[in-house]
Amino acid sequence: MLLAVALAAGVAQGAGFGLPAGELATRTLPLAVPPGAMSPLLSAVLYRTDAGAPAHYLGVGAGIPRLQIPDSPGATAWKLVPDADCAHLEQVPLAELHSPGMHPVTVQQDPLPMACAAAFEGSCTSRDGRLRIATTYEGQRRKARVGGGFFGTEGLIDSTFFTGTRTLAIEHLPSGRALRLQERLADTNSYSAPQTAIRYLPELRLVLLLGVARERGVPLAHCIALPAD
Protein backbone atom coordinates (compact mmCIF):
# COMPACT_ATOMS: atom_id res chain seq x y z
CA MET A 1 0.00 0.00 0.00
CA LEU A 2 1.01 3.62 -0.31
CA LEU A 3 2.42 4.53 3.07
CA ALA A 4 2.92 7.87 4.73
CA VAL A 5 5.74 6.99 7.09
CA ALA A 6 5.64 8.87 10.39
CA LEU A 7 7.99 8.22 13.26
CA ALA A 8 6.01 9.81 16.05
CA ALA A 9 2.46 10.62 17.03
CA GLY A 10 0.99 13.98 16.19
CA VAL A 11 3.11 14.42 13.06
CA ALA A 12 1.37 15.35 9.81
CA GLN A 13 1.54 12.65 7.16
CA GLY A 14 3.55 13.01 3.96
CA ALA A 15 1.86 15.33 1.49
CA GLY A 16 2.18 12.82 -1.33
CA PHE A 17 3.73 13.21 -4.77
CA GLY A 18 2.39 15.70 -7.28
CA LEU A 19 1.39 15.05 -10.87
CA PRO A 20 3.89 13.23 -13.12
CA ALA A 21 5.86 15.08 -15.79
CA GLY A 22 8.58 14.02 -18.22
CA GLU A 23 9.34 12.28 -21.50
CA LEU A 24 7.30 9.09 -21.04
CA ALA A 25 3.76 8.94 -22.44
CA THR A 26 1.39 9.15 -19.47
CA ARG A 27 -2.40 9.10 -19.29
CA THR A 28 -4.81 9.48 -16.42
CA LEU A 29 -6.31 6.07 -15.68
CA PRO A 30 -10.11 6.49 -15.69
CA LEU A 31 -11.69 5.01 -12.58
CA ALA A 32 -15.26 5.04 -11.28
CA VAL A 33 -15.65 3.37 -7.88
CA PRO A 34 -19.27 2.62 -6.88
CA PRO A 35 -20.47 3.89 -3.48
CA GLY A 36 -19.51 1.49 -0.72
CA ALA A 37 -16.95 -0.32 -2.88
CA MET A 38 -13.23 -0.51 -2.13
CA SER A 39 -10.94 1.45 -4.46
CA PRO A 40 -8.07 -0.29 -6.27
CA LEU A 41 -5.81 2.66 -5.48
CA LEU A 42 -3.07 2.48 -2.84
CA SER A 43 -3.43 -1.11 -1.63
CA ALA A 44 -4.64 -3.41 -4.42
CA VAL A 45 -3.24 -6.90 -4.97
CA LEU A 46 -2.09 -7.70 -8.50
CA TYR A 47 -3.51 -10.92 -9.97
CA ARG A 48 -2.63 -12.74 -13.16
CA THR A 49 -4.38 -15.49 -15.07
CA ASP A 50 -2.65 -17.81 -17.50
CA ALA A 51 -5.87 -19.54 -18.57
CA GLY A 52 -6.04 -18.64 -22.24
CA ALA A 53 -4.43 -15.30 -23.07
CA PRO A 54 -2.54 -13.88 -20.05
CA ALA A 55 -4.47 -11.09 -18.34
CA HIS A 56 -3.93 -8.90 -15.29
CA TYR A 57 -6.40 -7.97 -12.56
CA LEU A 58 -6.43 -5.90 -9.37
CA GLY A 59 -8.21 -7.12 -6.27
CA VAL A 60 -9.08 -5.25 -3.10
CA GLY A 61 -10.36 -7.06 -0.03
CA ALA A 62 -10.61 -10.44 -1.75
CA GLY A 63 -10.57 -13.44 0.58
CA ILE A 64 -8.44 -16.58 0.43
CA PRO A 65 -10.76 -19.60 0.11
CA ARG A 66 -8.08 -22.21 0.85
CA LEU A 67 -7.45 -20.50 4.20
CA GLN A 68 -11.18 -19.97 4.79
CA ILE A 69 -10.70 -16.19 4.79
CA PRO A 70 -13.88 -14.54 3.43
CA ASP A 71 -14.08 -11.53 1.15
CA SER A 72 -14.23 -8.20 2.98
CA PRO A 73 -17.39 -6.07 2.71
CA GLY A 74 -17.07 -3.86 -0.37
CA ALA A 75 -14.33 -6.03 -1.91
CA THR A 76 -13.82 -5.39 -5.62
CA ALA A 77 -12.06 -6.85 -8.66
CA TRP A 78 -10.82 -4.92 -11.68
CA LYS A 79 -9.51 -6.13 -15.03
CA LEU A 80 -6.73 -4.19 -16.73
CA VAL A 81 -7.63 -3.69 -20.38
CA PRO A 82 -4.95 -2.25 -22.71
CA ASP A 83 -6.30 0.30 -25.18
CA ALA A 84 -5.09 2.78 -27.79
CA ASP A 85 -4.27 5.43 -25.16
CA CYS A 86 -2.60 3.12 -22.62
CA ALA A 87 -5.06 1.05 -20.56
CA HIS A 88 -8.19 1.29 -18.45
CA LEU A 89 -9.72 -0.62 -15.55
CA GLU A 90 -13.05 -2.44 -15.83
CA GLN A 91 -14.80 -3.65 -12.69
CA VAL A 92 -15.62 -7.37 -12.92
CA PRO A 93 -17.38 -9.84 -10.58
CA LEU A 94 -15.26 -10.70 -7.56
CA ALA A 95 -15.68 -14.39 -8.40
CA GLU A 96 -13.24 -13.94 -11.30
CA LEU A 97 -10.40 -13.67 -8.79
CA HIS A 98 -11.25 -17.17 -7.56
CA SER A 99 -11.49 -18.77 -11.01
CA PRO A 100 -9.13 -21.58 -12.17
CA GLY A 101 -5.78 -20.33 -13.40
CA MET A 102 -6.03 -17.05 -11.45
CA HIS A 103 -3.35 -16.33 -8.86
CA PRO A 104 -1.96 -13.32 -6.99
CA VAL A 105 1.47 -12.17 -8.13
CA THR A 106 3.89 -13.03 -5.32
CA VAL A 107 6.84 -10.94 -4.17
CA GLN A 108 9.17 -13.35 -5.97
CA GLN A 109 7.17 -13.03 -9.22
CA ASP A 110 6.83 -9.25 -9.11
CA PRO A 111 8.88 -7.61 -11.89
CA LEU A 112 9.95 -4.96 -9.35
CA PRO A 113 11.99 -5.88 -6.25
CA MET A 114 10.10 -5.36 -3.01
CA ALA A 115 12.38 -2.50 -1.91
CA CYS A 116 11.58 -0.31 -4.94
CA ALA A 117 10.36 3.17 -3.84
CA ALA A 118 10.16 2.04 -0.20
CA ALA A 119 12.97 4.10 1.32
CA PHE A 120 13.29 7.86 1.80
CA GLU A 121 16.13 7.85 -0.74
CA GLY A 122 17.51 5.12 -2.98
CA SER A 123 17.15 3.37 -6.31
CA CYS A 124 16.33 -0.02 -7.75
CA THR A 125 16.20 -1.73 -11.13
CA SER A 126 13.47 -4.04 -12.38
CA ARG A 127 14.31 -7.72 -12.64
CA ASP A 128 14.44 -7.50 -16.45
CA GLY A 129 16.88 -4.56 -16.29
CA ARG A 130 14.64 -2.20 -18.29
CA LEU A 131 13.18 0.07 -15.60
CA ARG A 132 14.91 2.08 -12.89
CA ILE A 133 13.08 3.76 -10.01
CA ALA A 134 15.02 6.29 -7.96
CA THR A 135 14.08 8.61 -5.10
CA THR A 136 16.29 11.61 -4.32
CA TYR A 137 16.02 14.48 -1.85
CA GLU A 138 17.18 18.10 -1.87
CA GLY A 139 16.66 20.27 1.18
CA GLN A 140 17.35 20.68 4.87
CA ARG A 141 17.39 18.12 7.68
CA ARG A 142 17.19 18.68 11.41
CA LYS A 143 17.42 16.25 14.30
CA ALA A 144 14.94 16.28 17.16
CA ARG A 145 13.77 14.13 20.06
CA VAL A 146 10.10 13.25 19.80
CA GLY A 147 7.60 11.06 21.62
CA GLY A 148 7.69 7.48 20.36
CA GLY A 149 4.83 5.07 19.72
CA PHE A 150 1.45 5.60 18.10
CA PHE A 151 0.28 8.09 20.74
CA GLY A 152 3.72 9.60 21.39
CA THR A 153 3.75 8.29 24.95
CA GLU A 154 6.42 5.58 24.73
CA GLY A 155 9.47 7.63 25.61
CA LEU A 156 11.64 9.89 23.48
CA ILE A 157 13.30 8.73 20.26
CA ASP A 158 15.61 10.42 17.76
CA SER A 159 13.96 11.60 14.56
CA THR A 160 14.87 13.60 11.45
CA PHE A 161 12.65 16.38 10.11
CA PHE A 162 12.83 17.41 6.45
CA THR A 163 12.14 20.66 4.62
CA GLY A 164 12.69 20.27 0.91
CA THR A 165 11.71 18.24 -2.14
CA ARG A 166 11.77 14.50 -2.82
CA THR A 167 11.82 13.46 -6.47
CA LEU A 168 10.60 10.06 -7.63
CA ALA A 169 12.01 9.23 -11.07
CA ILE A 170 10.86 6.32 -13.24
CA GLU A 171 13.29 5.76 -16.11
CA HIS A 172 12.97 3.44 -19.11
CA LEU A 173 16.62 2.45 -19.46
CA PRO A 174 16.68 1.33 -23.13
CA SER A 175 15.35 4.71 -24.33
CA GLY A 176 16.70 6.92 -21.55
CA ARG A 177 13.28 8.55 -21.16
CA ALA A 178 12.03 9.29 -17.67
CA LEU A 179 9.06 10.52 -15.68
CA ARG A 180 9.32 12.49 -12.44
CA LEU A 181 7.02 13.25 -9.52
CA GLN A 182 7.84 15.57 -6.63
CA GLU A 183 6.82 15.59 -2.98
CA ARG A 184 7.15 18.82 -0.98
CA LEU A 185 8.09 18.36 2.67
CA ALA A 186 7.75 21.15 5.24
CA ASP A 187 9.47 20.44 8.57
CA THR A 188 8.06 16.92 8.81
CA ASN A 189 9.44 13.48 9.61
CA SER A 190 6.89 11.69 7.42
CA TYR A 191 7.07 10.84 3.74
CA SER A 192 5.35 8.73 1.09
CA ALA A 193 6.60 5.21 0.35
CA PRO A 194 4.62 4.10 -2.72
CA GLN A 195 6.32 0.77 -3.44
CA THR A 196 3.10 -1.28 -3.76
CA ALA A 197 1.32 1.48 -5.70
CA ILE A 198 3.75 1.12 -8.63
CA ARG A 199 2.99 -1.84 -10.89
CA TYR A 200 5.29 -2.73 -13.79
CA LEU A 201 3.84 -5.02 -16.47
CA PRO A 202 6.70 -5.78 -18.87
CA GLU A 203 4.61 -8.01 -21.19
CA LEU A 204 2.35 -5.03 -21.91
CA ARG A 205 5.12 -2.38 -21.68
CA LEU A 206 3.01 -0.56 -19.09
CA VAL A 207 3.58 0.97 -15.66
CA LEU A 208 0.59 1.72 -13.43
CA LEU A 209 0.74 4.41 -10.75
CA LEU A 210 -2.16 3.52 -8.46
CA GLY A 211 -2.46 6.50 -6.16
CA VAL A 212 1.20 7.54 -6.20
CA ALA A 213 0.25 11.06 -7.31
CA ARG A 214 -2.20 13.27 -5.45
CA GLU A 215 -4.05 16.41 -6.41
CA ARG A 216 -5.49 18.47 -3.54
CA GLY A 217 -5.00 15.41 -1.34
CA VAL A 218 -6.98 13.08 -3.62
CA PRO A 219 -5.07 10.01 -4.92
CA LEU A 220 -5.04 9.63 -8.71
CA ALA A 221 -4.26 6.75 -11.07
CA HIS A 222 -1.98 7.01 -14.10
CA CYS A 223 -0.88 4.68 -16.87
CA ILE A 224 2.59 4.95 -18.45
CA ALA A 225 3.09 3.49 -21.93
CA LEU A 226 6.73 2.52 -22.31
CA PRO A 227 8.42 2.88 -25.72
CA ALA A 228 9.58 -0.15 -27.66
CA ASP A 229 13.20 -1.10 -26.98
Side-chain angles (χ1 to χ4, degrees), residues 20-214:
E23 302 88 25
L24 292 173
T26 307
R27 300 287 185 273
T28 299
L29 195 64
L31 183 64
V33 181
M38 301 175 74
S39 169
L41 300 187
L42 309 181
S43 59
V45 175
L46 179 65
Y47 288 76
R48 176 188 170 97
T49 178
D50 297 313
H56 296 84
Y57 293 73
L58 296 174
V60 193
I64 307 176
R66 65 182 177 83
L67 299 179
Q68 298 183 331
I69 299 176
D71 298 328
S72 299
T76 55
W78 307 79
K79 183 177 182 179
L80 179 69
V81 181
D83 56 33
D85 291 328
C86 195
H88 62 275
L89 292 172
E90 294 181 357
Q91 189 172 4
V92 297
L94 195 62
E96 291 199 24
L97 298 184
H98 304 309
S99 60
M102 184 76 71
H103 59 87
V105 175
T106 66
V107 170
Q108 294 78 13
Q109 296 168 335
D110 196 321
L112 292 176
M114 187 176 181
C116 277
F120 183 77
E121 295 176 279
S123 65
C124 70
T125 303
S126 61
R127 300 187 198 279
D128 64 5
R130 288 181 167 83
L131 201 71
R132 177 183 292 138
I133 298 176
T135 308
T136 57
Y137 173 71
E138 291 186 6
Q140 301 175 345
R141 307 170 192 243
R142 72 174 180 89
K143 300 289 186 179
R145 298 275 287 172
V146 298
F150 188 79
F151 295 103
T153 58
E154 299 180 14
L156 295 177
I157 60 173
D158 294 324
S159 186
T160 302
F161 286 73
F162 304 95
T163 298
T165 301
R166 291 175 76 221
T167 300
L168 176 67
I170 300 173
E171 181 183 2
H172 180 245
L173 294 175
S175 68
R177 299 179 188 176
L179 191 75
R180 295 171 181 83
L181 305 89
Q182 292 189 326
E183 179 178 43
R184 310 291 183 182
L185 302 178
D187 199 29
T188 178
N189 64 349
S190 64
Y191 57 91
S192 300
Q195 68 271 37
T196 58
I198 302 175
R199 295 297 187 180
Y200 173 40
L201 307 175
E203 309 99 311
L204 303 176
R205 296 207 308 271
L206 298 178
V207 178
L208 305 181
L209 305 181
L210 301 172
V212 176
R214 291 173 177 263

Side-chain angles (χ1 to χ4, degrees), residues 8-26:
V11 178
Q13 292 188 340
F17 289 96
L19 298 178
E23 302 88 25
L24 292 173
T26 307

